[in-house]
Amino acid sequence: MYNFRVGFGYDVHQLAPDLILKLGGVVVPHTKGCVAHSDGDVLIHAICDALLGAAGKRDIGFHFPDTDQKYKGIDSKLLLAEVKQLLAADSFEIGNIDVTVCLQKPKIAAFIPEMSESIASVLQIETSCVSIKATTTEKLGFVGEEKGIAVYAVALIYKNKV
Ligand SMILES: [Zn+2]
C-alpha cells in the first residue's frame, strides 16, 4: 500500500540587466537574469517548494533563509539535493514533477531537455518524470513586461505505508 502525497510550489524573481539567467540548473543566454540571494534559479526554487509542500515540510525560505550568508550565490541544485535528503529522511520517494515557467523572453524550448536532465540527475529519477513547460503571458502583467519570471510546480511523492 502506497502513501501518495502531492505538493505545489510557486516562485517569482525579478529580472534585471547583466545578471546570469539560470533555469533548472542550465544557463540560458539572455540580457537579463534573476535578482536573488542565491543563484536565482526560480525553476528549481518552485520545485523545492512543491516537494517540501508534499512532505508537509514548510518551504524553501524556512530551510534556507535568504538572511543566511551561507546561501549567498549558492547553486540551487545544492538546495534541491538537500530537499531530496529531507524527503528521504522520511522515506519519501519522488514520483514525478510538472512545471510551468512563465516568461516573455527568451524562448527556452531548446533548453528544456537539458533542464529536465539536470533536475532528474539531482533527484535521481528518470528524465521523463520531470516535465517542464513554458508559456508567455501574452505581454500581460509583470511577466509580460519582462520584469520577472514566475514558475508553478507540482510534485508527487510516495512511500510504502508501514
Ligand atoms: Zn526563489
Side-chain angles (χ1 to χ4, degrees):
M1 178 74 176
Y2 281 110
N3 178 5
F4 289 101
R5 308 270 292 254
V6 67
F8 172 73
Y10 173 67
D11 195 28
V12 170
H13 279 263
Q14 197 183 329
L15 282 168
D18 304 321
L19 292 173
I20 290 168
L21 178 60
K22 216 163 146 195
L23 291 171
V26 176
V27 174
V28 178
H30 192 41
T31 53
K32 294 177 179 177
C34 286
V35 178
H37 183 69
S38 66
D39 66 355
D41 197 323
V42 58
L43 198 163
I44 287 184
H45 296 173
I47 290 175
C48 287
D49 267 358
L51 292 169
L52 289 169
K57 289 186 177 289
R58 306 287 298 261
D59 59 30
I60 192 170
F62 177 81
H63 294 283
F64 316 110
D66 65 5
T67 47
D68 192 333
Q69 283 308 306
K70 180 162 81 167
Y71 301 119
K72 192 162 167 53
I74 196 170
D75 181 344
S76 294
K77 284 202 286 187
L78 298 174
L79 305 181
L80 184 63
E82 259 190 71
V83 167
K84 183 187 163 61
Q85 292 311 314
L86 282 166
L87 267 60
D90 260 6
S91 307
F92 277 118
E93 305 216 30
I94 297 160
N96 73 300
I97 291 165
D98 189 19
V99 178
T100 297
V101 183
C102 307
L103 82 175
Q104 194 64 39
K105 271 186 195 165
K107 292 269 177 242
I108 63 165
F111 299 95
I112 284 176
E114 201 184 331
M115 291 172 189
S116 294
E117 262 169 49
S118 112
I119 291 159
S121 83
V122 173
L123 297 176
Q124 294 163 275
I125 56 177
E126 284 182 30
T127 307
S128 66
C129 294
V130 183
S131 153
I132 300 173
K133 309 178 300 299
T135 183
T136 71
T137 56
E138 300 287 344
K139 301 195 173 162
L140 296 168
F142 70 85
V143 168
E145 291 165 6
E146 297 175 49
K147 289 178 180 165
I149 295 179
V151 179
Y152 300 86
V154 290
L156 182 102
I157 64 172
Y158 62 93
K159 66 175 155 185
N160 230 335
K161 236 179 200 166
V162 282

Coordinates of all heavy atoms in Angstrom, one line a residue, residues 75-132:
D75 N 24.5 27.6 -5.6 CA 23.9 26.8 -6.7 C 22.6 26.1 -6.2 O 22.7 25.3 -5.3 CB 24.9 25.8 -7.2 CG 24.4 24.9 -8.3 OD1 23.2 24.9 -8.6 OD2 25.3 24.3 -9.0
S76 N 21.5 26.5 -6.8 CA 20.2 26.0 -6.3 C 20.1 24.5 -6.4 O 19.3 23.8 -5.7 CB 19.0 26.7 -7.0 OG 19.0 28.0 -6.7
K77 N 20.9 23.9 -7.2 CA 20.9 22.4 -7.3 C 21.3 21.8 -6.0 O 20.9 20.7 -5.6 CB 21.8 21.9 -8.4 CG 21.2 22.1 -9.8 CD 21.8 21.2 -10.9 CE 23.2 21.6 -11.2 NZ 23.8 20.9 -12.4
L78 N 22.2 22.5 -5.3 CA 22.6 22.0 -3.9 C 21.4 22.1 -3.0 O 21.2 21.2 -2.1 CB 23.8 22.8 -3.4 CG 25.0 22.8 -4.2 CD1 26.1 23.7 -3.6 CD2 25.6 21.3 -4.2
L79 N 20.6 23.1 -3.1 CA 19.4 23.2 -2.3 C 18.4 22.1 -2.6 O 17.8 21.4 -1.7 CB 18.7 24.6 -2.5 CG 19.5 25.8 -2.2 CD1 18.7 27.1 -2.5 CD2 20.1 25.8 -0.8
L80 N 18.3 21.8 -3.9 CA 17.4 20.7 -4.4 C 17.9 19.4 -3.8 O 17.0 18.5 -3.4 CB 17.3 20.7 -5.9 CG 16.4 19.7 -6.5 CD1 14.9 20.0 -6.2 CD2 16.5 19.7 -8.1
A81 N 19.2 19.2 -3.8 CA 19.7 17.9 -3.3 C 19.4 17.8 -1.8 O 19.1 16.7 -1.3 CB 21.2 17.9 -3.6
E82 N 19.5 18.9 -1.1 CA 19.2 18.9 0.3 C 17.7 18.6 0.6 O 17.4 17.9 1.5 CB 19.6 20.2 1.0 CG 20.9 20.1 1.7 CD 21.2 21.3 2.6 OE1 20.5 21.5 3.7 OE2 22.1 22.0 2.2
V83 N 16.8 19.1 -0.3 CA 15.4 18.8 -0.2 C 15.2 17.3 -0.4 O 14.4 16.7 0.3 CB 14.6 19.7 -1.2 CG1 13.2 19.2 -1.3 CG2 14.6 21.2 -0.8
K84 N 15.8 16.8 -1.4 CA 15.7 15.3 -1.6 C 16.1 14.6 -0.3 O 15.4 13.6 0.0 CB 16.6 14.9 -2.8 CG 16.4 13.4 -3.1 CD 17.3 12.9 -4.1 CE 17.4 11.4 -4.1 NZ 16.1 10.7 -4.4
Q85 N 17.2 15.0 0.3 CA 17.6 14.3 1.6 C 16.6 14.5 2.7 O 16.3 13.5 3.4 CB 18.9 14.9 2.1 CG 20.1 14.6 1.2 CD 20.2 13.1 0.8 OE1 20.1 12.3 1.7 NE2 20.4 12.8 -0.4
L86 N 15.9 15.6 2.8 CA 14.9 15.9 3.8 C 13.7 14.9 3.6 O 13.2 14.4 4.5 CB 14.4 17.3 3.7 CG 15.3 18.4 4.3 CD1 14.8 19.8 3.9 CD2 15.2 18.3 5.9
L87 N 13.4 14.7 2.3 CA 12.3 13.7 2.0 C 12.7 12.3 2.3 O 11.9 11.5 2.8 CB 11.9 13.9 0.5 CG 10.7 14.9 0.2 CD1 11.0 16.3 0.7 CD2 10.3 14.8 -1.3
A88 N 13.9 12.0 1.9 CA 14.5 10.6 2.1 C 14.5 10.3 3.5 O 14.3 9.1 3.9 CB 15.8 10.5 1.4
A89 N 14.8 11.3 4.4 CA 14.8 11.0 5.8 C 13.4 10.6 6.4 O 13.3 9.9 7.4 CB 15.2 12.3 6.6
D90 N 12.4 10.9 5.6 CA 11.0 10.5 6.0 C 10.6 9.3 5.1 O 9.4 9.1 4.9 CB 10.0 11.7 5.8 CG 9.7 12.3 7.1 OD1 10.3 12.0 8.1 OD2 8.8 13.2 7.1
S91 N 11.5 8.7 4.4 CA 11.2 7.6 3.5 C 10.4 7.9 2.3 O 9.8 7.0 1.7 CB 10.6 6.4 4.2 OG 11.3 6.1 5.4
F92 N 10.3 9.2 1.9 CA 9.6 9.6 0.7 C 10.4 9.5 -0.5 O 11.6 9.9 -0.6 CB 9.1 11.0 0.8 CG 7.8 11.2 1.6 CD1 7.8 12.0 2.8 CD2 6.7 10.6 1.2 CE1 6.7 12.1 3.5 CE2 5.5 10.8 1.9 CZ 5.5 11.5 3.1
E93 N 9.8 8.9 -1.6 CA 10.5 8.9 -2.9 C 9.7 9.8 -3.8 O 8.6 10.1 -3.6 CB 10.4 7.4 -3.5 CG 11.0 6.5 -2.5 CD 11.7 5.3 -3.2 OE1 12.3 5.6 -4.3 OE2 11.7 4.2 -2.6
I94 N 10.4 10.3 -4.9 CA 9.8 11.2 -5.8 C 9.2 10.5 -7.0 O 9.9 9.7 -7.6 CB 10.8 12.3 -6.2 CG1 11.3 13.1 -4.9 CG2 10.2 13.3 -7.2 CD1 12.6 13.8 -5.1
G95 N 7.9 10.8 -7.2 CA 7.2 10.2 -8.4 C 7.5 11.0 -9.6 O 8.3 10.7 -10.4
N96 N 6.8 12.1 -9.8 CA 7.0 13.0 -10.9 C 6.8 14.4 -10.6 O 6.2 14.8 -9.5 CB 6.1 12.6 -12.1 CG 4.7 13.0 -11.9 OD1 4.1 12.5 -10.9 ND2 4.1 13.8 -12.7
I97 N 7.3 15.3 -11.4 CA 7.2 16.7 -11.2 C 6.7 17.4 -12.5 O 7.2 16.9 -13.6 CB 8.7 17.3 -10.9 CG1 9.1 16.8 -9.5 CG2 8.7 18.8 -10.9 CD1 10.5 16.9 -9.2
D98 N 5.9 18.3 -12.4 CA 5.4 19.0 -13.6 C 5.5 20.5 -13.3 O 5.1 21.0 -12.3 CB 3.9 18.6 -13.9 CG 3.5 19.1 -15.3 OD1 4.3 19.5 -16.1 OD2 2.2 19.2 -15.5
V99 N 6.1 21.2 -14.3 CA 6.4 22.6 -14.1 C 5.9 23.5 -15.2 O 6.0 23.1 -16.4 CB 8.0 22.8 -14.0 CG1 8.4 24.2 -13.8 CG2 8.6 21.9 -12.9
T100 N 5.4 24.7 -14.9 CA 5.2 25.7 -16.0 C 6.0 26.9 -15.6 O 5.9 27.5 -14.6 CB 3.7 26.0 -16.1 OG1 3.0 24.8 -16.5 CG2 3.4 27.1 -17.1
V101 N 6.8 27.3 -16.6 CA 7.6 28.5 -16.5 C 6.9 29.6 -17.2 O 6.6 29.5 -18.4 CB 9.0 28.3 -17.0 CG1 9.9 29.6 -16.8 CG2 9.7 27.1 -16.4
C102 N 6.6 30.8 -16.6 CA 6.0 31.9 -17.2 C 7.0 33.0 -17.5 O 7.5 33.6 -16.5 CB 4.9 32.4 -16.4 SG 3.7 31.2 -15.9
L103 N 7.4 33.2 -18.7 CA 8.3 34.3 -19.1 C 8.0 34.7 -20.5 O 7.6 34.0 -21.4 CB 9.8 33.8 -18.9 CG 10.5 33.0 -19.9 CD1 11.9 32.9 -19.5 CD2 9.9 31.7 -20.1
Q104 N 8.3 36.0 -20.7 CA 8.0 36.6 -22.0 C 9.2 36.3 -23.0 O 9.0 35.9 -24.1 CB 7.8 38.1 -21.9 CG 7.2 38.7 -23.2 CD 5.8 38.2 -23.5 OE1 5.0 37.9 -22.6 NE2 5.5 38.0 -24.8
K105 N 10.4 36.5 -22.4 CA 11.6 36.3 -23.2 C 12.7 35.7 -22.3 O 12.7 36.0 -21.1 CB 12.1 37.6 -23.7 CG 11.6 38.0 -25.1 CD 12.3 39.2 -25.5 CE 11.6 39.9 -26.7 NZ 12.1 41.3 -26.9
P106 N 13.7 35.0 -22.7 CA 13.8 34.4 -24.1 C 13.0 33.1 -24.2 O 12.4 32.7 -23.3 CB 15.3 34.1 -24.1 CG 15.6 33.7 -22.7 CD 14.7 34.5 -21.8
K107 N 13.0 32.6 -25.5 CA 12.4 31.3 -25.7 C 13.3 30.3 -25.1 O 14.6 30.3 -25.3 CB 12.4 31.1 -27.3 CG 11.4 32.0 -28.0 CD 10.0 31.4 -28.0 CE 9.0 32.3 -28.7 NZ 7.9 32.7 -27.7
I108 N 12.7 29.4 -24.3 CA 13.6 28.4 -23.6 C 13.4 27.0 -24.1 O 14.0 26.0 -23.6 CB 13.4 28.5 -22.1 CG1 11.9 28.1 -21.7 CG2 13.8 29.8 -21.5 CD1 11.8 27.8 -20.2
A109 N 12.5 26.8 -25.1 CA 12.2 25.4 -25.6 C 13.4 24.6 -25.8 O 13.4 23.4 -25.5 CB 11.3 25.5 -26.8
A110 N 14.4 25.2 -26.5 CA 15.6 24.4 -26.8 C 16.4 23.9 -25.6 O 17.2 23.0 -25.7 CB 16.5 25.2 -27.7
F111 N 16.2 24.5 -24.5 CA 16.9 24.2 -23.3 C 16.2 23.2 -22.4 O 16.8 22.8 -21.4 CB 17.3 25.5 -22.5 CG 18.1 26.5 -23.3 CD1 17.5 27.5 -24.0 CD2 19.5 26.3 -23.3 CE1 18.3 28.4 -24.7 CE2 20.3 27.2 -24.0 CZ 19.7 28.2 -24.7
I112 N 14.9 23.0 -22.7 CA 14.1 22.2 -21.8 C 14.6 20.8 -21.5 O 14.7 20.3 -20.4 CB 12.6 22.2 -22.2 CG1 12.0 23.6 -21.8 CG2 11.8 21.1 -21.6 CD1 10.6 23.9 -22.2
P113 N 15.1 20.1 -22.6 CA 15.6 18.7 -22.3 C 16.8 18.7 -21.4 O 16.8 17.9 -20.5 CB 16.0 18.2 -23.7 CG 15.1 19.0 -24.7 CD 15.0 20.4 -24.0
E114 N 17.6 19.7 -21.5 CA 18.8 19.8 -20.6 C 18.4 20.1 -19.2 O 19.0 19.6 -18.2 CB 19.7 20.9 -21.2 CG 21.2 20.7 -20.7 CD 22.1 21.9 -21.2 OE1 21.8 22.5 -22.3 OE2 23.0 22.2 -20.5
M115 N 17.4 21.0 -19.1 CA 16.9 21.3 -17.7 C 16.3 20.1 -17.0 O 16.6 19.8 -15.9 CB 15.8 22.4 -17.8 CG 16.3 23.7 -18.2 SD 14.9 24.8 -18.5 CE 15.7 26.2 -19.3
S116 N 15.4 19.3 -17.8 CA 14.8 18.1 -17.2 C 15.9 17.1 -16.8 O 15.8 16.5 -15.7 CB 13.9 17.4 -18.2 OG 12.8 18.2 -18.5
E117 N 16.9 17.0 -17.6 CA 18.0 16.1 -17.3 C 18.8 16.5 -16.0 O 19.1 15.7 -15.2 CB 19.0 16.0 -18.4 CG 18.8 14.8 -19.3 CD 19.6 14.9 -20.6 OE1 20.9 15.2 -20.5 OE2 19.0 14.7 -21.7
S118 N 19.0 17.8 -15.9 CA 19.8 18.3 -14.8 C 19.0 18.1 -13.5 O 19.6 17.7 -12.5 CB 20.2 19.7 -15.1 OG 19.6 20.6 -14.2
I119 N 17.7 18.4 -13.5 CA 16.9 18.2 -12.3 C 16.8 16.7 -12.0 O 16.9 16.3 -10.8 CB 15.5 18.9 -12.5 CG1 15.7 20.4 -12.5 CG2 14.6 18.5 -11.4 CD1 14.6 21.1 -13.2
A120 N 16.5 15.9 -13.0 CA 16.4 14.5 -12.8 C 17.6 13.8 -12.2 O 17.6 13.0 -11.4 CB 16.0 13.8 -14.1
S121 N 18.8 14.3 -12.6 CA 20.0 13.7 -12.1 C 20.2 14.1 -10.7 O 20.7 13.3 -9.9 CB 21.2 14.1 -13.0 OG 21.7 15.3 -12.7
V122 N 19.9 15.3 -10.3 CA 20.0 15.7 -8.9 C 19.0 14.8 -8.0 O 19.4 14.4 -6.9 CB 19.7 17.2 -8.6 CG1 19.6 17.5 -7.2 CG2 20.7 18.1 -9.4
L123 N 17.8 14.6 -8.5 CA 16.8 13.9 -7.8 C 16.9 12.4 -7.9 O 16.2 11.6 -7.3 CB 15.4 14.4 -8.1 CG 15.1 15.9 -7.8 CD1 13.8 16.3 -8.3 CD2 15.3 16.1 -6.3
Q124 N 17.8 12.0 -8.8 CA 18.0 10.5 -9.2 C 16.6 9.9 -9.6 O 16.3 8.8 -9.0 CB 18.6 9.8 -8.0 CG 20.1 10.3 -7.8 CD 20.6 9.9 -6.4 OE1 20.3 10.6 -5.4 NE2 21.2 8.8 -6.3
I125 N 15.9 10.5 -10.5 CA 14.7 10.0 -11.1 C 14.9 10.0 -12.6 O 15.8 10.6 -13.1 CB 13.4 10.7 -10.6 CG1 13.5 12.2 -10.9 CG2 13.2 10.5 -9.1 CD1 12.2 13.0 -10.6
E126 N 14.0 9.4 -13.3 CA 14.0 9.4 -14.7 C 13.7 10.8 -15.3 O 12.9 11.5 -14.8 CB 13.1 8.4 -15.3 CG 13.6 6.9 -15.2 CD 12.6 5.9 -15.8 OE1 11.9 6.3 -16.8 OE2 12.5 4.8 -15.3
T127 N 14.4 11.1 -16.4 CA 14.2 12.4 -17.0 C 12.7 12.6 -17.4 O 12.2 13.7 -17.3 CB 15.1 12.5 -18.3 OG1 16.4 12.3 -17.9 CG2 15.0 13.9 -18.9
S128 N 12.1 11.5 -17.8 CA 10.6 11.6 -18.2 C 9.7 12.0 -17.0 O 8.6 12.3 -17.2 CB 10.2 10.3 -18.8 OG 10.2 9.3 -17.8
C129 N 10.3 11.9 -15.8 CA 9.5 12.2 -14.6 C 9.6 13.7 -14.3 O 9.0 14.2 -13.3 CB 9.9 11.4 -13.4 SG 9.6 9.7 -13.6
V130 N 10.4 14.5 -15.1 CA 10.5 15.9 -14.9 C 10.0 16.6 -16.1 O 10.7 16.8 -17.1 CB 11.9 16.3 -14.6 CG1 12.0 17.8 -14.2 CG2 12.5 15.5 -13.4
S131 N 8.7 17.1 -16.1 CA 8.1 17.8 -17.2 C 8.3 19.3 -17.0 O 8.0 19.8 -15.9 CB 6.7 17.4 -17.3 OG 5.9 18.4 -17.9
I132 N 8.8 19.9 -18.0 CA 8.9 21.4 -18.0 C 8.2 22.0 -19.2 O 8.4 21.6 -20.3 CB 10.4 21.8 -17.9 CG1 11.1 21.2 -16.7 CG2 10.5 23.4 -17.9 CD1 12.6 21.4 -16.7

